[in-house]
Amino acid sequence: MKNRLRIFYLATEVAPFAKTGGLADVASALPKALFEYGHDVRVMMPKYGTISERRYVLREVIRLKQIPLTMAGEEHVVSIKSAFLPDTKVQVYFLDYKPYFDRPDLYMDGKTGKDYPDNAQRFFLFCKAVLETIKLLHWEPHIIHCNDWQTAMIPWLLRHDYSEDSFFSKTLTILSVHNLAYQGSFDPSILPKLGIPRELKEPGSDLECYNKINFLKAGIVHADVISTVSPTYALEIQNDAELGCGLQGLLKKRCDDMYGLLNGVDYNVWNPENDPYIPQKYSAANLNDKRPAKQALLQQAKLPYDTAVPVVGMISRLVEQKGIELVAEAIDDLVKLPVQLVILGTGDPKYHKLLEKLAKTHAKHVAIFLRFDDELAHLIEAGSDMFLMPSRYEPCGLNQMYSLKYGTIPIVRMTGGLADTVVDYNEDSNHGNGFVFKPYSAAALSDAVKRAVRVFKDEAAWQKMVKRAMKQDFSWHVVADRYIKLYQKLENQKRKK
Ligand code: ADP
């Protein structure tokens, strides 16, 4: 293939190997789609304790065994293993270094609820290992594609430690920011442990941000381009002080190199026509077959089945961002409509308590599942009539796009990727694929759900909207094509320089 690009794609979670949120889905689907377009794409991630070598057939790579890496004068001997993304020929490399990654959790110690205290060392070493692996493979990438703070020190390393290394002279970097609130911000006392000169803690350095050492900032300063996961979020983080999380000034400075590319959906995984986790497969042509999913869901939720009462689903990390407070505040209104609410999530213990209380007080209308459960997530997508995402902010959001495919009408706050994918229903023109509200308030949320319930009662109008929603196409091929164009644009610019 002409213009075949070599792309090294880095992420610290990749589905199905390890997942805490949307990044894992993206880091699996995008490389797959790039590969299908004929590009040479390889992925690298840490080998966590939870990844089964046998299940995923991880193999040793002869020339990537026992690699010595130096950090702060200390030698760490690491090995690289490899496997394929399931059902593909996309090669995934795993950094096998037990002292740092043979742990049950990815970033946060489940036992303490706190970040692992050596996260800076863990992920800085990962960044170093990536560059050494590429060199040992003698595989000169056109593009190194980094994701989030954990890999953001790669562009920094290329401009510092590797600035004279001709091996990388043709390599361009892209940093994708999936959520600006997570920056990898550490006390400056970390610097000697990373082997980075102490002077870099001084204000104005490429690592310093509000007296902390900030990995994401370093990546934003040094990456050739920065992308984020929806056009609206790309603007919000430059213009809204709260969403810019302290980096909006820098992002604005780099606005010419900023791109907002909406994530896509892997329809091999999220599709009611071939979903193995739902009782009956269905499509827009046979919507009656969606009913068994509702019945099965309500049975699991121990709530009564009533075709006249809409089920509202939620699947979410339970963190500040996701608007759980609004649901709690609006609940009295919601159960009166009535609706039934089924919530699957895990995260901050304070939200676990809050939701437990809701489920107890409104046992006839609310069911909660406080765990990570992929299979149940699929059943909720299929079995609900509506899907609620009242996020304070949402860089992209995947579940509203999954919901559209399942004919489960999204009710969302107008922010980030939710604003880019859900169009408010208009009764007069019979237009729209969901319900959108703007103010971050319980009243606005209740109002949107009320509007949804009103349309739900008009079966013909509802079915029309459901069919319209199911027709929408957010497949990765469209998205991957946008990334390829961006990579090629970068390449052309570089050649001209
Ligand atoms: P974020 O990346 O902020 O968590 P996204 O909407 O982009 O939000 O992606 C969330 C992904 O994680 C979706 O695939 C969703 O189904 C999944 N998910 C979140 N919480 C759970 C849970 N408790 N059980 C199963 N899947 C979950």
Side-chain angles (χ1 to χ4, degrees), residues 132-145:
E132 285 309 306
T133 300
I134 295 174
K135 287 193 75 169
L136 288 165
L137 286 169
H138 303 293
W139 189 84
E140 233 171 289
H142 297 102
I143 304 285
I144 295 185
H145 191 144

Side-chain angles (χ1 to χ4, degrees), residues 19-23 25 179 263 270 315-317 321-322 344-346 369 371-374 377 381 389 394-400 402:
K19 169 167 172 175
T20 69
L23 170 62
D25 291 358
N179 191 331
N263 283 335
W270 295 98
I315 304 164
S316 180
R317 289 183 299 118
Q321 170 199 343
K322 301 287 182 179
L344 167 65
T346 171
F369 299 92
R371 57 176 194 252
F372 195 95
D373 186 337
D374 195 38
E381 284 294 359
M389 294 180 79
E394 194 61 72
C396 177
L398 293 171
N399 282 110
Q400 82 281 13
Y402 301 160

Side-chain angles (χ1 to χ4, degrees), residues 155 159 173-175 217-227 238 247-259 490 497:
R159 294 262 172 95
T173 54
I174 163 166
L175 172 64
K217 176 188 167 179
I220 293 173
V221 170
H222 293 292
D224 290 294
V225 296
I226 302 123
S227 77
Q238 293 176 62
L247 291 176
Q248 73 272 23
L250 173 63
L251 290 167
K252 242 191 159 136
K253 232 185 184 163
R254 295 225 54 195
C255 64
D256 287 343
D257 303 313
M258 273 278 291
Y259 296 82
L490 261 175
K497 273 184 192 168

Side-chain angles (χ1 to χ4, degrees), residues 456-467:
F456 181 78
K457 286 185 180 148
D458 177 348
E459 210 179 313
W462 188 259
Q463 285 228 356
K464 251 189 178 168
M465 173 157 55
V466 166
K467 287 188 177 166

